[in-house]
Amino acid sequence: DAKTTQPTSMDCAEGRAANLPCNHSTISGNEYVYWYRQIHSQGPQYIIHGLKNNETNEMASLIITEDRKSSTLILPHATLRDTAVYYCIVRVRDSWGKFQFGAGTQVVVTP
Amino acid sequence: EAQVTQNPRYLITVTGKKLTVTCSQNMNHEYMSWYRQDPGLGLRQIYYSMNVEVTDKGDVPEGYKVSRKEKRNFPLILESPSPNQTSLYFCASSSIAGQSYTEAFFGQGTRLTVV
C-alpha cells in the first residue's frame, strides 16, 4: 500500500471549514484514499473514501487531485466535537489483509 | 444497532496470568482485526481474520493468539502477558462481500495494564 504524509497538527476555528491535506505521491491506480478519525482514545471512525472523483457525505468532502498524488479532507463547518486525530490511509479497496494507520493529523477546533 | 463490542473495557492483570479479550460484532462481517495503540507508535495491527477459521498475522503478532471459530467473535488471547503488552486495544470488523464499499467499524477499546 502507498505511504501517506500528513501534517502533525492543525488548528481550526469553530464554524470555519477545516482543510486537512494528505500527500500520497506513490499511489497506484487501484488504490483508494480512506479517511478515519479518532476522538480521544475512542475507536477510530470512518469518515469517507474515494478513488479519483471528489466525494461528499454528511460528514465531509474529499477532494482528490487529478494526478491522485494528494487529497484534502474538508470538514465544512468544524465544531468542537471534530477535535480528533485524522488518519489518511491509502490501500487497495478489496485488499483486506493488513490495514495500516499512519501518525495522522491532530486537529484542534477552538471556540 | 450495528456495533463491535469489546470486553472488558478495562483490565489490570499480573505478568504471566493468561487472559482473553473478547470481541463480538452483530453485522455478519467476514473481516475482523485487532490493533494495539501506544503513545508515539499509533495504531498497529496484531492479527486479522478474513473469515471463520482464517487468520493471519499483522505487524505485531508476537505474544498474542487469536481464534475465529464463529463469524461474530474474534477473541484476543494473551497466554503469558508481559508489561510490554500494556496498551489500548481495538477490535474492528468489515464486510468484504460484494462490490459495494465497506467501512471498518471499531470497538470502544480495551485498556490493558500488565503489572
Side-chain angles (χ1 to χ4, degrees), chain B residues 62-89:
Chain B
E62 295 77 21
Y64 304 95
K65 287 176 58 176
V66 292
S67 70
R68 188 88 183 275
K69 293 182 171 53
E70 305 168 281
K71 199 171 187 179
R72 64 182 293 126
N73 296 322
F74 190 45
L76 180 69
I77 303 157
L78 285 71
E79 294 270 4
S80 182
S82 63
N84 65 12
Q85 292 178 297
T86 292
S87 187
L88 178 59
Y89 292 86

Side-chain angles (χ1 to χ4, degrees), chain A residues 54-74:
Chain A
N54 297 338
E55 303 287 344
T56 296
N57 63 20
E58 65 278 4
M59 288 182 68
S61 295
L62 175 61
I63 308 298
I64 302 174
T65 58
E66 193 168 342
D67 63 7
R68 302 206 329 119
K69 293 182 184 298
S70 65
S71 60
T72 300
L73 178 75
I74 301 172

Side-chain angles (χ1 to χ4, degrees), chain A residues 7-102:
Chain A
T8 303
S9 64
M10 293 181 57
D11 291 336
C12 178
E14 187 178 21
R16 305 294 293 269
N19 296 290
L20 283 62
C22 180
N23 182 285
H24 32 80
S25 58
T26 60
I27 193 170
S28 59
N30 62 347
E31 287 183 312
Y32 286 69
V33 180
Y34 291 82
W35 283 84
Y36 282 77
R37 73 179 183 183
Q38 185 177 23
I39 298 171
H40 185 59
S41 296
Q42 296 180 19
Q45 175 190 26
Y46 162 79
I47 301 173
I48 200 167
H49 83 291
L51 181 62
K52 53 184 177 181
N53 297 322
N54 297 338
E55 303 287 344
T56 296
N57 63 20
E58 65 278 4
M59 288 182 68
S61 295
L62 175 61
I63 308 298
I64 302 174
T65 58
E66 193 168 342
D67 63 7
R68 302 206 329 119
K69 293 182 184 298
S70 65
S71 60
T72 300
L73 178 75
I74 301 172
L75 308 178
H77 305 287
T79 71
L80 300 179
R81 289 175 296 178
D82 292 322
T83 293
V85 177
Y86 287 77
Y87 298 98
C88 170
I89 302 163
V90 172
R91 60 171 293 143
V92 177
R93 187 190 73 179
D94 295 323
S95 170
W96 289 103
K98 294 184 179 183
F99 192 77
Q100 296 174 319
F101 287 78

Side-chain angles (χ1 to χ4, degrees), chain B residues 11-100:
Chain B
L11 178 61
I12 301 174
T13 190
V14 297
T15 299
K17 185 177 181 181
K18 181 180 179 180
L19 67 91
T20 299
V21 183
T22 64
C23 175
S24 181
Q25 49 94 3
N26 63 359
M27 296 165 281
N28 202 36
H29 285 167
E30 295 83 5
Y31 179 88
M32 297 186 74
S33 181
W34 276 102
Y35 297 83
R36 62 177 289 174
Q37 187 169 33
D38 305 287
L41 297 176
L43 281 153
R44 295 180 292 168
Q45 193 173 38
I46 304 171
Y47 269 95
Y48 61 93
S49 169
M50 302 290 284
N51 214 324
V52 175
E53 303 293 358
V54 180
T55 63
D56 209 343
K57 297 177 181 179
D59 294 317
V60 289
E62 295 77 21
Y64 304 95
K65 287 176 58 176
V66 292
S67 70
R68 188 88 183 275
K69 293 182 171 53
E70 305 168 281
K71 199 171 187 179
R72 64 182 293 126
N73 296 322
F74 190 45
L76 180 69
I77 303 157
L78 285 71
E79 294 270 4
S80 182
S82 63
N84 65 12
Q85 292 178 297
T86 292
S87 187
L88 178 59
Y89 292 86
F90 291 103
C91 178
S93 75
S94 301
S95 172
I96 60 173
Q99 296 301 309
S100 62

